[in-house]
Amino acid sequence: MHKERRVISVIVKNEHGVLSRISGLFAGRGYNIETLTVAPIPNSSLSRLTIVTSGSHRVIEQIIKQLNKLIPVLKVIEHEELIEKEMVLAKVPLEERLSDVEALCRAYNGSIVNVGKDGIIVMIADEPTRVAHFIYALKNFNPKEIIRSGVVAIER
Amino acid sequence: MQQISGAQMVVEAMRKEGVEVVFGYPGGAIMNVYDEIYKHKYFQHILTRHEQAAVHAADGYARATGKTGVAFVTSGPGFTNAVTGLATAYTDSIPLVVISGQVPISMIGTDAFQEIDAVGISRPCTKHNFLVKDAKELPFILKEAFYLAKSGRPGPIHVDIPKDVTAQIAPFDYPDEIRLETYKPTYKGNPRQIKKAVAAIAEAKKPVFYLGGGIIRSGAAELVREFVAAAKIPAVETLMARGTLRYDDPMLLGMVGMHGTYAANMAMSEADLLIALGPRFDDRVTGKLSEFAKYAKIIHVDIDPSSIGKLVHVDYPIVGDLKKVLEEMVPLAKEQINPDRYESWREILKRYGELHPLKYEDSDKVLKPEWVIQRVGEKLKGKARISTDVGQHQMWTAQYYPFTRPNELITSGGLGTMGFGFPAAIGVKRGVQEEISINFTGDGSILMNIQELMTAVEYRLPVINIILNNNYLGMVRQWQTFFYEKRYAETDLSMQPDFVKLAESFGGIGYRVKTKEEFDEALDDAISKGVVALIDVVIDRYENVLPMVPAGGSLYNMMLEYKDEG
Ligand SMILES: Cc1ncc(C[n+]2csc(CCOP(=O)(O)OP(=O)(O)O)c2C)c(N)n1
């Protein structure tokens, strides 16, 4: 069956257990979560979750209906046209060609954010596919650690 | 404003909600609440002998009365015992409020004595749940619990209250009404969709009403009867919808699905339109999905949007409360539908019914379970509530009992919970005391909550348990017969208690019967004495439930009989 990738934003009431309710829904029904990010919405009692998931058309439809059914869920937004961003933090040893690293980061909307005793820390924020390219390219510089955030998305 | 303890709030909330009975079992974490119960007599508390039974009893009460059932249990093992009851009610959409005690807030997460993550466990088997962190929140949460249980698609709500919260003093301002920003069930169906659906019925040649449990839950049976009578369209019922139409309604083809009638299953298979009113398209009904109602367009009315299109493609989805939708739909249908149009279709189905009616071979040597059920039907039709446990006896009851009205049959359909029948029947009897409460059960099922004999005797709730005793876990034995070459692995229940003495030891009456006369006498005696009874009916050990669609098979490929080749 054809699988599609979907970015879904869920606006929920900020209350006890709401995150486990949502992740539990995915786990209990065998739905897939690729990434999940969550943070409070400023000046409100709400939080916004951004979930990247994939599945057949019917599965995606069920995910959306089931999310809507949860009592603390205010709104489920299925993005059609959207800007997606994901962030990467990585640690690169000082011995590497740091000017090349910096140039690479700049190409992906990023920069060096910290210089320490034995390494530098770089940060980029870009679209998920470009993030994958960045990580691929960064491998040339023997990164010691790469940390990738989940996706945040906003309607165009 | 009034300042009272959390425990008092619980009791006050029951009063405000008009709760007349609570089923429960005390323990350390919920003692503050029980102490309040002791002081006030706002409602009757029925002490069951097991928490599972408390929740099933509340469930039976809710099904029989249409009110919300309530149960109280303590933390840890008290709560875990209640989980099967919650899951049973959840699958069948029954409104319940279950309140559990929890260890004090400061001890949550320390593996304290009798601590368990109750809301974590109940999350997947409740409509919603709460852990109360402050007594200030209790009035709103309790109001919300009752509101959520009953509104939209009904279901069980679990409220977990730590012991220090029940001791805490806080202002009590119980809301009259609740408005939740995030929860707005759709009650009214979309008028355009309703119009389209009626037009589709008017154009169909072979339509079938596919009646499901949502009809019973929304109280729409009267309207369905009106609809069916006006349109003269044949109808099939799921297990959960039994009693929507009277057993003798000329349009009723019987139960559909794995143990449905030939006519009902053929109607689904050959229909060009299904008018699905509140069913779940359960796999016990549909059989093999790719073969299910292959030629039919589907109208599906359900209050829960996630039920629609979950398993099959629906051509006319209508989200709304069935009763509200039918109020719009029936008058339109009366205008537009010409019942003569389906004449030849009705003829075809009538012939199917005559070709393969429900049948069994009666005997004078050994009692047949079908006979027993029909006999009870002849005597009590319309005068009794019928509960069941789970197994062959449940299916025979659904097939052979002459149901006359909604909620006459109380059974665990979705989860199929053995041990449900007796405690549920106790709740039923408490709810509708003027009626006789019969529980058809099996020799396996009855032992799963037999301790409730004590509850029934103590509170004078004279449930009559009719054990269709085949000395087997019959339904499993039947599958072993058909699909496992008679390897009866762990289904032989020859080892049995003396059910007569067992009933007597609890203060009830026991009967053991082997003939039709003995059965009649026992039933009459139990009814006239109005006592808690076990009638141990020795039936044919090898009787099978037929017809049968093997699991995963298609509805039109039914085993109509089984010839035993030794
Ligand atoms: C709690 C629980 N455990 C196991 C099952 C599986 N099961 C379904 S029917 C059945 C046999 C029931 O036997 P009995 O109560 O004697 O009824 P009969 O089928 O003989 O009428 C079993 C074990 C179940 N439905 N529920």
Side-chain angles (χ1 to χ4, degrees), chain A residues 3 15 18 26 35 44-45 47-49 52 61 64 70 85 92 95 104 108 118 121 131 135-137 142-143 147:
Chain A
K3 270 197 165 186
E15 63 179 33
V18 64
F26 279 77
T35 73
S44 77
S45 57
S47 279
R48 183 189 188 100
L49 285 86
V52 180
E61 205 172 273
I64 288 159
L70 295 176
K85 292 288 171 195
V92 180
E95 310 83 76
L104 178 67
Y108 288 91
D118 44 24
I121 294 170
V131 162
I135 290 173
Y136 184 78
N142 304 308
I147 295 170

Side-chain angles (χ1 to χ4, degrees), chain A residues 20-21 62 65 69 71 73, chain B residues 123 129 182 304-306 308:
Chain A
S20 57
R21 221 178 274 289
Q62 265 299 309
K65 283 181 178 173
K69 201 167 140 177
I71 311 288
V73 168
Chain B
R123 200 170 290 128
N129 63 10
T182 59
D304 178 1
S306 69
I308 298 181

